Amino acid sequence: MRILVTGGAGFIGSHLIDRLMTDGHEVICLDNFYTGRKQNVLKWIGNPYFEMIRHDITEPIRLEVDQIYHLACPASPVHYQYNAIKTVKTNVIGTLNMLGLAKRVKARIFLASTSEVYGDPEVHPQTETYWGNVNPIGIRSCYDEGKRMAETLTFDYHRSNGVDVRVVRIFNTYGPRMLPNDGRVVSNFIVQALQGKALTVYGDGSQTRSFCYVSDLVEGFLRLMNGDFIGPVNLGNPDEYTILQLAETIQRMVNPDAKVTYEPLPQDDPQKRQPDISRAKKYLNNWQPTVPLEAGLEKTIAYFRDRLEA
Ligand SMILES: NC(=O)c1ccc[n+]([C@@H]2O[C@H](COP(=O)([O-])OP(=O)(O)OC[C@H]3O[C@@H](n4cnc5c(N)ncnc54)[C@H](O)[C@@H]3O)[C@@H](O)[C@H]2O)c1
């Protein structure tokens, strides 16, 4: 198949491309390199079945493809808040452009949504039927309301125009090729520990998160895209850790001498986030994460060690 991956030079997109290329597909990677890097897809450049297009999805584009994985959007608060209006445009105009393309060429389109659509959830763990508790005017709303609108558009194109859609809600994912400076907790702690700095915990560290290794996520993407269930479906690791537990694990694995310091919680930081993955198990052929946290952290630490040395 000929497959378009928007945001393909980013963290998750590049792992997805590795898998699609290895499976023998023809891949078009479309990216404006805001948070993505050519290095992430370097090994495919020059391969006749791989094409790289520098393009901003807020502008329309015409391409002939069979499937679209729509991932383009900065994912970390540092980057999506840097230009909040641009983040809204990417989520709304960008998603409209991709849905228009899918409609025109009759491609199946897969939207990468997020657990952020649940906001600071009052239901725990979060099931896909929960509508969320989102602040519409907060500093995270360009992203979470943007993704909610992207989901709305996707389901309206499905209902009104018969576009073949798939929607996934991704929970915290980590792995090699995350950016060292993006302020996400796993990369923050690893980089701080490798640099011999103190690990910064926001709040008292009792807030919880779940962490899914990127290869598990990509396996879920393929099952959703190539199955009959349209979603939305949660993909994430239901194992819940407090931020302090994560800090202590990374401290032990990288640098037992590293200290832990505490800073105030940022605005609208959710207290709890844990996916209910019953739907994924039911509709995606019993999908569940297989990579234990320490095994995934080992690979991620090795990547950051190489990158910081380089
Ligand atoms: N990483 C996670 O834990 C996580 C969690 C929930 C949802 N997601 C979603 O998954 C997708 C990928 O996330 P990621 O972690 O790989 O982030 P990332 O920032 O590494 O990748 C996003 C990619 O999109 C590109 N991009 C951004 N705006 C664009 C635009 N207007 N036009 C073209 N390209 C553009 C960036 O350059 C980058 O390569 C995002 O949609 C994100 O919202 C990620």
Side-chain angles (χ1 to χ4, degrees):
M1 272 190 280
R2 187 182 297 151
I3 303 177
L4 171 66
V5 181
T6 76
F11 159 51
I12 298 173
S14 63
H15 285 278
L16 172 65
I17 287 178
D18 289 349
R19 178 73 192 269
L20 295 172
M21 288 296 294
T22 309
D23 288 351
H25 296 290
E26 201 176 323
V27 174
I28 302 176
C29 169
L30 197 152
D31 208 294
N32 69 351
F33 298 112
Y34 173 45
T35 49
R37 309 163 75 220
K38 258 188 208 156
Q39 284 91 325
N40 289 345
V41 288
L42 200 59
K43 66 166 171 271
W44 303 117
I45 292 175
N47 183 310
Y49 296 104
F50 178 76
E51 220 174 318
M52 173 91 239
I53 303 176
R54 180 189 288 266
H55 177 81
D56 193 305
I57 56 157
T58 58
E59 301 292 333
I61 188 166
R62 281 173 191 266
L63 295 166
E64 297 296 322
V65 292
D66 304 303
Q67 289 187 338
I68 303 169
Y69 285 90
H70 175 35
L71 275 64
C73 176
S76 70
V78 178
H79 292 116
Y80 70 63
Q81 286 165 8
Y82 174 74
N83 185 343
I85 294 166
K86 173 72 191 205
T87 301
V88 175
K89 285 184 181 167
T90 295
N91 275 316
V92 179
I93 302 172
T95 302
L96 268 173
N97 284 332
M98 290 306 122
L99 286 163
L101 174 67
K103 180 182 166 196
R104 207 159 40 239
V105 301
K106 298 189 169 45
R108 179 174 291 180
I109 180 166
F110 173 111
L111 171 70
S113 183
T114 169
S115 59
E116 301 280 333
V117 300
Y118 301 124
D120 191 359
E122 294 142 324
V123 168
H124 196 72
Q126 292 81 53
T127 57
E128 293 85 348
T129 49
Y130 177 53
W131 290 352
N133 176 35
V134 176
N135 175 358
I137 55 168
I139 55 172
R140 299 170 82 103
S141 26
C142 59
Y143 183 71
D144 46 36
E145 293 287 25
K147 288 284 186 183
R148 286 167 70 93
M149 179 48 72
E151 287 197 17
T152 306
L153 287 168
T154 302
F155 276 87
D156 279 333
Y157 265 75
H158 176 63
R159 278 187 290 260
S160 310
N161 298 307
V163 172
D164 193 11
V165 304
R166 300 288 181 271
V167 175
V168 64
R169 292 184 181 148
I170 305 167
F171 284 66
N172 269 350
T173 299
Y174 72 100
R177 303 185 195 148
M178 294 176 85
L179 289 173
N181 63 345
D182 72 0
R184 283 192 265 187
V185 65
V186 173
S187 46
N188 262 10
F189 286 163
I190 293 177
V191 171
Q192 288 172 328
L194 285 171
Q195 292 177 332
K197 295 181 182 157
L199 279 59
T200 318
V201 169
Y202 295 97
D204 62 4
S206 64
Q207 68 274 37
T208 63
R209 293 291 185 276
S210 63
F211 304 99
C212 184
Y213 189 67
V214 64
S215 60
D216 282 330
L217 184 79
V218 166
E219 175 61 33
F221 278 18
L222 295 183
R223 291 191 196 189
L224 178 64
M225 181 60 128
N226 298 303
D228 296 328
F229 186 63
I230 67 172
V233 62
N234 290 337
L235 289 182
N237 194 327
D239 294 343
E240 201 178 4
Y241 295 88
T242 68
I243 294 296
L244 194 57
Q245 279 173 325
L246 178 74
E248 287 167 354
T249 307
I250 292 176
Q251 185 186 38
R252 185 164 36 75
M253 292 176 75
V254 181
N255 180 1
D257 296 332
K259 299 209 166 23
V260 173
T261 56
Y262 295 86
E263 285 190 21
L265 268 184
Q267 189 195 331
D268 290 344
D269 197 54
Q271 259 307 310
K272 281 178 159 193
R273 207 42 97 47
Q274 185 193 21
D276 179 317
I277 59 165
S278 320
R279 252 195 203 182
K281 283 187 180 158
K282 181 169 174 194
Y283 292 106
L284 306 184
N285 200 11
N286 207 24
W287 178 87
Q288 54 188 320
T290 59
V291 181
L293 182 65
E294 293 212 3
L297 284 178
E298 229 164 73
K299 291 187 183 163
T300 314
I301 291 166
Y303 167 80
F304 278 115
R305 192 169 271 134
D306 286 352
R307 191 152 166 199
L308 292 180
E309 275 169 15

